[in-house]
Amino acid sequence: MNPSAPASQAAREACGRWFLANRSVEAAPNDPAALVGRAASFLAMDRPWEATNDLDRALRMQTRLAGADVAAAGDEATANQRRRRHDGEAARTRLLRGHAHAACLRYDRAVADFAEAEAILSRLGGSTDRSQPTPAHAQAGLGVAYCNMRDWQRCVDAGERAVRGLPLDDVARRHVARAVETARQHLSLAAGGTVGGSRRSGGSAAPPQPPPPPPR
């Protein structure tokens, strides 16, 4: 069996998803959902720069549409319901853009998006639907981004919160747990401690890659 066959198949599938997503954007250029879908396809194709462009547009359109939708509500209860729905959409878009920024090595921008997503999701409250992102997913993104920035203490702080809030089988939990372990090793070395029972010296270990986007 050709070892490159699975990768080639995955690449073809990613291109197919992008083709369909691109048609949706061409049919409705100002539809935030279509832009987010194409951005996710760009990320799957390792094209994060294009993804950030689509997500920038999606967030602008989401803000504009949300304002009009909430203003048109007939009563306060309906307005609050619509506001919560739009806030949830904005949080998911910011989470995805945070991962896109991280893939572009723009970790400061990734941190800003993850922090905003965490604030929105915390305000909305937890969800029992595992297909929806939670504040812990944003905290996982923060932990890994801080690790890549070599901001070890902030990595540990955000990462530990994420580990406590994510299910054991969540892939984001594994990524952020590895980031926290890396950060703890560096903090221990900086304090003159040991790693693995012996003192170590030398350059920094390569930080882990950002976790994949949370389930949608």
Side-chain angles (χ1 to χ4, degrees):
M1 179 178 177
N2 184 353
S4 65
S8 299
Q9 178 65 22
R12 286 193 296 271
E13 291 176 355
C15 288
R17 287 192 296 271
W18 176 88
F19 178 77
L20 295 175
N22 190 57
R23 290 184 62 180
S24 296
V25 173
E26 290 176 345
N30 294 323
D31 181 4
L35 289 165
V36 170
R38 188 170 70 174
S41 297
F42 275 132
L43 274 178
M45 297 167 67
D46 293 325
R47 295 170 60 181
W49 297 97
E50 291 95 331
T52 57
N53 290 336
D54 275 353
L55 293 167
D56 288 344
R57 287 176 57 195
L59 278 169
R60 288 194 297 269
M61 293 308 303
Q62 284 174 343
T63 300
R64 186 180 307 172
L65 294 172
D69 192 31
V70 172
D75 54 73
E76 188 63 25
T78 302
N80 288 335
Q81 185 180 35
R82 292 180 180 182
R83 190 178 295 111
R84 286 179 61 85
R85 185 181 73 251
H86 288 297
D87 283 349
E89 292 172 356
R92 287 189 289 273
T93 303
R94 285 190 176 276
L95 273 177
L96 194 62
R97 193 173 68 171
H99 290 291
H101 281 315
C104 294
L105 307 184
R106 298 187 296 199
Y107 298 118
D108 55 338
R109 297 185 184 185
V111 164
D113 272 333
F114 288 135
E116 182 64 21
E118 179 188 9
I120 295 172
L121 292 169
S122 296
R123 185 171 68 249
L124 293 176
S127 172
T128 57
D129 184 354
R130 291 194 58 180
S131 69
Q132 298 300 315
T134 66
H137 286 104
Q139 292 157 3
L142 279 170
V144 176
Y146 281 134
C147 185
N148 279 285
M149 296 169 74
R150 290 170 168 75
D151 191 335
W152 309 124
Q153 188 57 58
R154 286 182 177 175
C155 170
V156 171
D157 293 342
E160 286 182 340
R161 293 197 305 273
V163 168
R164 288 194 297 269
L166 290 169
L168 293 175
D169 59 347
D170 195 304
V171 66
R173 189 180 193 275
R174 295 197 298 271
H175 281 272
V176 74
R178 188 154 60 98
V180 168
E181 180 59 27
T182 298
R184 283 175 175 159
Q185 291 178 4
H186 283 276
L187 289 171
S188 178
L189 289 171
T194 62
V195 176
S198 61
R199 292 182 62 85
R200 291 176 55 185
S201 61
S204 299
Q209 293 297 309
R216 295 180 63 193

